[in-house]
Amino acid sequence: MRRMNPDRREWLLRRGRINEQVHLGRANLAAVSGVRRPSKVRSSVVIVPNLLIAEKAEQRQQILSVIHQIEHRLRSGSHRVKLDFSLVKKIFPGGMLLLLATLSQLADVYAGRISARCPPNSLAAQLLNHFGLAKKLKVNLRLSRPTHDSVLAWSFLTGTQAAGEQVTALLNRYREGTNAAIPEGLFAVLTEGLTNVRQHAYKDLAEVPESWRKWWLFARYEEPKSGVDGSLYIAIYDIGAGIPATMRNKLQKNEIVVDLLDKSGKLLSLSDGVMLDKKLMFEAVEHRRSQTGEGHRGNGLPEMKDFAASNQGGRLHIISGRVQYSIVRGNAEGQVQGHKDEMPGTLVLWGLPLMAKEK
């Protein structure tokens, strides 16, 4: 691998600081918002799109656009923001998690200045209630009480970087007394994978306060019933440095060696933004490595990929920065796509169908 010249090194450092600036900017919002209070505060309505899904770039960008609108208007200091969920028709866990994580932070920073309008007893209202945001966003608790099966089936966890006992406890609860034929080693892989996602998210963001080093997780377990497969689905999101930025940092420090040749044999330059990010994402998911140097240990993501790829109904989506790694319907070969729009942090969506044990 060629040595990096000073210009490329500086460019790499700038890219690695993108998400750190996002964090520091949000962390300082509370102080900034308390400095200057305008005499007149206007109200703004932001429309939530009708389809909340993160796996598809177009719909994901619509969610990110809503987030950008909210942040821009709140930062001005002259707006209250009301999120309108009236047009929402379908909600998928990844899309809701992406929006929910940002709302939970902004609702704390801008207490009383952000609210939500939901049709009574709608799925959006019930989800906000089920995951503890209804009161903060001034959604009527009586008219948002969770009753729908598609809401109650989901478990929701959140915590800081170091807090992970509840994730292990949740997976153990799924494992105990199940009637499903659980693949050997599945829960050990998930525990390690989710632990590493949490621990590595903010490792390169030393200036981010501990209270902001958060992660958010949805999980749903369904038992197989009368010839119908069950399923295990997990979505976890953090607003950390992101996989491409972390891998670039490792590349700069010579902690990893990556084949920089693309499929046509062209040597990628470190200034090739999305092209190199795609290469680094593929490297992170497809190749096992550990900081201990022990070759037999992985970071969890390659093993999660193996389970998804070895099962006909398995799926895995990892979205970070401007790239997305996907396995659908158990395809053995993962696909990496690049996008022009950047998503802060990392979103992992993983699912596996579960068959009943043979009697």
Side-chain angles (χ1 to χ4, degrees):
M1 187 177 69
R2 297 186 301 180
R3 279 186 169 276
M4 287 181 283
N5 63 40
D7 291 339
R8 288 176 176 172
R9 188 179 297 274
E10 177 59 29
W11 180 89
L12 178 59
L13 290 173
R14 281 203 310 274
R15 278 300 310 275
R17 286 195 291 264
I18 287 177
N19 285 310
E20 183 172 8
Q21 291 169 359
V22 170
H23 270 279
L24 293 177
R26 287 187 182 178
N28 289 329
L29 286 177
V32 172
S33 63
V35 174
R36 287 176 284 184
R37 293 278 182 182
S39 57
K40 186 176 181 179
V41 178
R42 293 177 292 175
S43 295
S44 296
V45 176
V46 177
I47 306 297
V48 179
N50 61 357
L51 180 60
L52 293 177
I53 182 170
E55 291 91 330
K56 297 182 179 180
E58 181 180 352
Q59 283 75 28
R60 182 169 68 248
Q61 179 52 36
Q62 292 176 359
I63 299 172
L64 293 174
S65 177
V66 166
I67 292 172
H68 295 157
Q69 291 180 59
I70 298 170
E71 291 181 332
H72 174 73
R73 296 178 187 185
L74 291 176
R75 281 197 185 103
S76 71
S78 61
H79 285 79
R80 289 189 179 94
V81 174
K82 175 169 285 188
L83 276 173
D84 188 349
F85 285 85
S86 301
L87 299 182
V88 175
K89 295 180 179 179
K90 288 187 178 181
I91 300 176
F92 293 82
M96 191 63 177
L97 197 59
L98 179 58
L99 182 59
L100 183 68
T102 302
L103 290 179
S104 67
Q105 288 188 329
L106 294 178
D108 289 336
V109 172
Y110 292 102
R113 288 183 55 197
I114 180 170
S115 60
R117 178 168 62 203
C118 305
N121 302 311
S122 63
L123 287 181
Q126 292 185 41
L127 282 167
L128 290 175
N129 191 327
H130 190 45
F131 302 130
L133 273 177
K135 186 175 182 180
K136 288 184 178 181
L137 298 181
K138 303 177 184 178
V139 176
N140 188 300
L141 296 179
R142 183 175 61 84
L143 297 179
S144 62
R145 186 170 58 88
T147 57
H148 200 282
D149 289 344
S150 64
V151 174
L152 296 174
W154 287 97
S155 297
F156 172 69
L157 298 175
T158 184
T160 57
Q161 179 183 14
E165 295 82 2
Q166 60 266 53
V167 176
T168 302
L170 177 67
L171 294 178
N172 285 338
R173 189 164 74 246
Y174 290 156
R175 178 172 52 187
E176 293 171 357
T178 180
N179 185 45
I182 303 296
E184 185 177 355
L186 174 63
F187 286 102
V189 164
L190 288 177
T191 300
E192 182 178 8
L194 298 178
T195 297
N196 278 278
V197 168
R198 292 184 295 101
Q199 290 181 344
H200 288 84
Y202 301 96
K203 186 177 179 182
D204 295 331
L205 303 178
E207 298 181 38
V208 176
E210 177 65 26
S211 60
W212 281 75
R213 297 170 176 248
K214 296 191 72 175
W215 49 267
W216 296 262
L217 181 144
F218 283 172
R220 183 185 67 195
Y221 176 81
E222 293 183 343
E223 279 280 322
K225 299 176 182 176
S226 60
V228 179
D229 286 351
S231 64
L232 175 60
Y233 187 92
I234 290 174
I236 185 169
Y237 179 57
D238 67 75
I239 314 179
I243 292 175
T246 300
M247 291 291 284
R248 283 177 176 270
N249 191 34
K250 291 179 181 293
L251 190 63
Q252 181 214 1
K253 295 178 179 178
N254 295 320
E255 293 179 2
I256 59 173
V257 176
V258 179
D259 178 8
L260 296 181
L261 292 175
D262 66 12
K263 291 183 179 180
S264 66
K266 176 186 174 183
L267 183 65
L268 290 174
S269 165
L270 288 173
S271 61
D272 290 331
V274 175
M275 291 297 293
L276 182 57
D277 285 350
K278 289 171 62 176
K279 191 82 170 180
L280 293 175
M281 172 67 88
F282 192 84
E283 180 78 12
V285 181
E286 295 277 349
H287 295 85
R288 290 167 174 77
R289 61 173 56 81
S290 79
Q291 293 182 335
T292 65
E294 299 175 65
H296 65 282
R297 294 192 58 194
N299 62 10
L301 291 180
E303 290 84 354
M304 291 175 71
K305 172 257 178 186
D306 287 346
F307 274 109
S310 62
N311 191 291
Q312 185 59 36
R315 52 181 167 156
L316 172 66
H317 299 280
I318 303 173
I319 307 154
S320 189
R322 292 183 293 168
V323 292
Q324 176 175 344
Y325 178 99
S326 297
I327 283 180
V328 292
R329 293 186 292 276
N331 289 337
E333 185 71 22
Q335 301 295 320
V336 183
Q337 294 178 313
H339 305 290
K340 65 178 181 178
D341 300 304
E342 185 161 8
M343 187 195 77
T346 301
L347 175 65
V348 177
L349 309 172
W350 181 93
L352 197 69
L354 299 174
M355 299 176 61
K357 296 177 182 177
E358 292 185 6
K359 296 182 179 180

